[in-house]
């Protein structure tokens, strides 16, 4: 089969997400100078991309229940907090401004990945599945060291056998 890019720009596009009705593609792009979420008609041709996020955005995910809601993440703030936002989409355009679903500590929940997202939305659109980061338990202190002298001679002797 002939594989070709769907569209090409000089920017970094990532996090592609096809709407449940397969009419729209949500994705992230740094065309504005920072990552923002965009929606464009799929499969095209025609129709311009519409910016959905306002102050930065990444990792869009459609609500599987109907596909008229688009979730996405905000960048982390100075305190390391980020937000999950939602916006209603109709005809490939946002209806109103995105609203906050919840805020979270970006260092403990692993929502951020590239080039695809690291979370999922439940079938009813009411829950999110994400990996929680937990610090590794401290390693036990070193209590002894094994020292092998002349190990090269020992290896040679074993290889000859």
């Amino acid at each position: 089969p002939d594989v070709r890019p769907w569209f090409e720009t000089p920017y970094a596009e990532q996090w592609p997400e096809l709407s449940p009705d397969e009419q729209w593609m949500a994705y992230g792009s740094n065309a504005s100078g920072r990552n923002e979420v965009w929606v464009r008609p799929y499969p095209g041709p025609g129709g311009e991309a519409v910016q959905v996020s306002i102050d930065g955005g990444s990792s869009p995910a459609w609500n599987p229940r109907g596909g008229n809601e688009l979730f996405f993440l905000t960048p982390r703030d100075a305190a390391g907090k980020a937000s999950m936002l939602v916006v209603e989409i109709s005809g490939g355009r946002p209806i109103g401004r995105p609203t906050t679903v919840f805020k979270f500590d970006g260092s403990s929940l692993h929502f951020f990945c590239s080039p695809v997202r690291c979370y999922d939305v439940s079938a009813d659109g009411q829950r999110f599945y994400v990996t929680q980061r937990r610090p590794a338990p401290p390693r036990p202190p070193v209590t002894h060291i094994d020292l092998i002298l002349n190990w090269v001679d020992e290896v040679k002797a074993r290889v000859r056998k």
Side-chain angles (χ1 to χ4, degrees), residues 10-75:
Y11 307 106
E13 273 87 23
Q14 49 196 344
W15 310 296
E17 289 294 322
L18 188 60
S19 64
D21 65 3
E22 299 181 0
Q23 299 285 317
W24 307 99
M25 179 68 74
Y27 63 97
S29 174
N30 67 352
S32 70
R34 67 176 173 200
N35 286 326
E36 298 284 359
V37 174
W38 299 75
V39 171
R40 69 170 51 224
Y42 182 85
E48 291 294 316
V50 175
Q51 186 174 327
V52 173
S53 57
I54 296 170
D55 294 318
S58 65
S59 300
W62 294 95
N63 186 336
R65 189 193 72 228
N68 62 337
E69 288 183 319
L70 184 64
F71 300 103
F72 62 93
L73 303 173
T74 64

Side-chain angles (χ1 to χ4, degrees), residues 149-160:
L149 300 174
N150 300 319
W151 65 272
V152 173
D153 293 335
E154 187 173 330
V155 170
K156 285 180 185 176
R158 290 179 186 231
V159 169
R160 286 188 216 129

